[in-house]
mmCIF file of all heavy atoms in Angstrom:
data_model
loop_
_atom_site.group_PDB
_atom_site.id
_atom_site.type_symbol
_atom_site.label_atom_id
_atom_site.label_comp_id
_atom_site.label_asym_id
_atom_site.label_seq_id
_atom_site.Cartn_x
_atom_site.Cartn_y
_atom_site.Cartn_z
ATOM 1 N N ALA A 225 -14.393 32.347 -26.091
ATOM 2 C CA ALA A 225 -13.814 31.031 -25.641
ATOM 3 C C ALA A 225 -13.888 30.051 -26.830
ATOM 4 O O ALA A 225 -14.870 30.149 -27.583
ATOM 5 C CB ALA A 225 -14.601 30.564 -24.443
ATOM 6 N N LYS A 226 -12.897 29.195 -26.926
ATOM 7 C CA LYS A 226 -13.057 28.137 -27.934
ATOM 8 C C LYS A 226 -12.454 26.829 -27.488
ATOM 9 O O LYS A 226 -11.562 26.860 -26.652
ATOM 10 C CB LYS A 226 -12.541 28.584 -29.310
ATOM 11 C CG LYS A 226 -11.185 29.220 -29.371
ATOM 12 C CD LYS A 226 -10.873 29.590 -30.843
ATOM 13 C CE LYS A 226 -9.450 30.074 -31.001
ATOM 14 N NZ LYS A 226 -9.175 31.416 -30.468
ATOM 15 N N VAL A 227 -12.904 25.747 -28.099
ATOM 16 C CA VAL A 227 -12.316 24.446 -27.849
ATOM 17 C C VAL A 227 -11.144 24.296 -28.759
ATOM 18 O O VAL A 227 -11.267 24.310 -29.965
ATOM 19 C CB VAL A 227 -13.375 23.325 -28.075
ATOM 20 C CG1 VAL A 227 -12.707 21.953 -28.033
ATOM 21 C CG2 VAL A 227 -14.538 23.415 -27.078
ATOM 22 N N LEU A 228 -9.948 24.111 -28.189
ATOM 23 C CA LEU A 228 -8.737 23.960 -28.948
ATOM 24 C C LEU A 228 -8.634 22.602 -29.552
ATOM 25 O O LEU A 228 -8.258 22.418 -30.699
ATOM 26 C CB LEU A 228 -7.477 24.202 -28.120
ATOM 27 C CG LEU A 228 -7.150 25.612 -27.663
ATOM 28 C CD1 LEU A 228 -5.831 25.569 -26.906
ATOM 29 C CD2 LEU A 228 -7.021 26.504 -28.874
ATOM 30 N N CYS A 229 -8.940 21.596 -28.805
ATOM 31 C CA CYS A 229 -8.927 20.218 -29.344
ATOM 32 C C CYS A 229 -9.656 19.349 -28.379
ATOM 33 O O CYS A 229 -9.967 19.682 -27.240
ATOM 34 C CB CYS A 229 -7.529 19.794 -29.597
ATOM 35 S SG CYS A 229 -6.703 19.213 -28.106
ATOM 36 N N SER A 230 -10.030 18.145 -28.856
ATOM 37 C CA SER A 230 -10.769 17.162 -28.090
ATOM 38 C C SER A 230 -9.963 15.897 -28.026
ATOM 39 O O SER A 230 -9.308 15.500 -29.029
ATOM 40 C CB SER A 230 -12.142 16.920 -28.676
ATOM 41 O OG SER A 230 -12.814 18.144 -28.803
ATOM 42 N N ILE A 231 -10.044 15.181 -26.902
ATOM 43 C CA ILE A 231 -9.358 13.865 -26.734
ATOM 44 C C ILE A 231 -10.433 12.809 -26.486
ATOM 45 O O ILE A 231 -11.392 13.027 -25.735
ATOM 46 C CB ILE A 231 -8.398 13.968 -25.503
ATOM 47 C CG1 ILE A 231 -7.372 15.060 -25.688
ATOM 48 C CG2 ILE A 231 -7.805 12.558 -25.201
ATOM 49 C CD1 ILE A 231 -6.565 15.420 -24.459
ATOM 50 N N VAL A 232 -10.263 11.711 -27.230
ATOM 51 C CA VAL A 232 -11.313 10.639 -27.104
ATOM 52 C C VAL A 232 -10.951 9.755 -25.920
ATOM 53 O O VAL A 232 -9.768 9.274 -25.813
ATOM 54 C CB VAL A 232 -11.310 9.807 -28.378
ATOM 55 C CG1 VAL A 232 -12.349 8.686 -28.275
ATOM 56 C CG2 VAL A 232 -11.594 10.671 -29.600
ATOM 57 N N PRO A 233 -11.876 9.497 -25.020
ATOM 58 C CA PRO A 233 -11.633 8.602 -23.862
ATOM 59 C C PRO A 233 -11.297 7.169 -24.312
ATOM 60 O O PRO A 233 -11.776 6.726 -25.371
ATOM 61 C CB PRO A 233 -12.924 8.629 -23.097
ATOM 62 C CG PRO A 233 -13.641 9.838 -23.488
ATOM 63 C CD PRO A 233 -13.239 10.074 -24.896
ATOM 64 N N ALA A 234 -10.539 6.471 -23.488
ATOM 65 C CA ALA A 234 -10.238 5.126 -23.787
ATOM 66 C C ALA A 234 -11.556 4.281 -23.873
ATOM 67 O O ALA A 234 -11.721 3.437 -24.703
ATOM 68 C CB ALA A 234 -9.323 4.499 -22.694
ATOM 69 N N ASP A 235 -12.466 4.603 -22.970
ATOM 70 C CA ASP A 235 -13.815 3.939 -22.953
ATOM 71 C C ASP A 235 -14.855 5.028 -22.934
ATOM 72 O O ASP A 235 -14.982 5.780 -21.936
ATOM 73 C CB ASP A 235 -13.934 3.022 -21.745
ATOM 74 C CG ASP A 235 -15.364 2.368 -21.640
ATOM 75 O OD1 ASP A 235 -16.303 2.834 -22.351
ATOM 76 O OD2 ASP A 235 -15.499 1.468 -20.806
ATOM 77 N N LYS A 236 -15.590 5.227 -24.016
ATOM 78 C CA LYS A 236 -16.507 6.401 -24.100
ATOM 79 C C LYS A 236 -17.612 6.345 -23.115
ATOM 80 O O LYS A 236 -18.240 7.363 -22.819
ATOM 81 C CB LYS A 236 -17.061 6.480 -25.547
ATOM 82 C CG LYS A 236 -15.999 6.969 -26.552
ATOM 83 C CD LYS A 236 -16.695 7.248 -27.880
ATOM 84 C CE LYS A 236 -15.719 7.944 -28.813
ATOM 85 N NZ LYS A 236 -16.342 8.234 -30.083
ATOM 86 N N ALA A 237 -17.972 5.187 -22.647
ATOM 87 C CA ALA A 237 -19.078 5.098 -21.667
ATOM 88 C C ALA A 237 -18.568 5.304 -20.279
ATOM 89 O O ALA A 237 -19.353 5.484 -19.314
ATOM 90 C CB ALA A 237 -19.789 3.698 -21.750
ATOM 91 N N ARG A 238 -17.242 5.249 -20.088
ATOM 92 C CA ARG A 238 -16.661 5.389 -18.729
ATOM 93 C C ARG A 238 -15.430 6.331 -18.818
ATOM 94 O O ARG A 238 -14.299 5.891 -18.631
ATOM 95 C CB ARG A 238 -16.238 4.047 -18.202
ATOM 96 C CG ARG A 238 -17.390 3.159 -17.903
ATOM 97 C CD ARG A 238 -16.947 1.798 -17.297
ATOM 98 N NE ARG A 238 -18.089 0.918 -17.189
ATOM 99 C CZ ARG A 238 -18.484 0.148 -18.145
ATOM 100 N NH1 ARG A 238 -17.957 0.158 -19.319
ATOM 101 N NH2 ARG A 238 -19.546 -0.673 -17.963
ATOM 102 N N PRO A 239 -15.655 7.649 -19.041
ATOM 103 C CA PRO A 239 -14.518 8.537 -19.084
ATOM 104 C C PRO A 239 -13.924 8.732 -17.676
ATOM 105 O O PRO A 239 -14.577 8.395 -16.647
ATOM 106 C CB PRO A 239 -15.158 9.833 -19.618
ATOM 107 C CG PRO A 239 -16.552 9.755 -19.211
ATOM 108 C CD PRO A 239 -16.950 8.313 -19.301
ATOM 109 N N SER A 240 -12.733 9.242 -17.609
ATOM 110 C CA SER A 240 -12.077 9.502 -16.338
ATOM 111 C C SER A 240 -12.670 10.762 -15.670
ATOM 112 O O SER A 240 -13.049 11.735 -16.333
ATOM 113 C CB SER A 240 -10.571 9.700 -16.514
ATOM 114 O OG SER A 240 -9.970 8.524 -16.807
ATOM 115 N N TYR A 241 -12.715 10.664 -14.306
ATOM 116 C CA TYR A 241 -12.992 11.899 -13.548
ATOM 117 C C TYR A 241 -11.697 12.702 -13.438
ATOM 118 O O TYR A 241 -10.655 12.085 -13.245
ATOM 119 C CB TYR A 241 -13.509 11.527 -12.144
ATOM 120 C CG TYR A 241 -13.519 12.721 -11.209
ATOM 121 C CD1 TYR A 241 -14.568 13.617 -11.265
ATOM 122 C CD2 TYR A 241 -12.431 12.944 -10.358
ATOM 123 C CE1 TYR A 241 -14.567 14.757 -10.418
ATOM 124 C CE2 TYR A 241 -12.447 14.068 -9.521
ATOM 125 C CZ TYR A 241 -13.509 14.932 -9.567
ATOM 126 O OH TYR A 241 -13.446 16.088 -8.763
ATOM 127 N N TYR A 242 -11.710 13.983 -13.568
ATOM 128 C CA TYR A 242 -10.544 14.831 -13.369
ATOM 129 C C TYR A 242 -10.936 16.147 -12.667
ATOM 130 O O TYR A 242 -11.965 16.648 -12.964
ATOM 131 C CB TYR A 242 -9.734 15.039 -14.639
ATOM 132 C CG TYR A 242 -10.514 15.656 -15.758
ATOM 133 C CD1 TYR A 242 -10.484 17.037 -16.010
ATOM 134 C CD2 TYR A 242 -11.328 14.905 -16.569
ATOM 135 C CE1 TYR A 242 -11.214 17.622 -17.020
ATOM 136 C CE2 TYR A 242 -12.073 15.490 -17.609
ATOM 137 C CZ TYR A 242 -11.979 16.812 -17.811
ATOM 138 O OH TYR A 242 -12.723 17.379 -18.813
#
Side-chain angles (χ1 to χ4, degrees):
K226 47 181 189 285
V227 170
L228 285 185
C229 79
S230 303
I231 299 168
V232 179
D235 175 348
K236 286 188 171 182
R238 295 183 185 84
S240 288
Y241 167 81
Y242 55 98

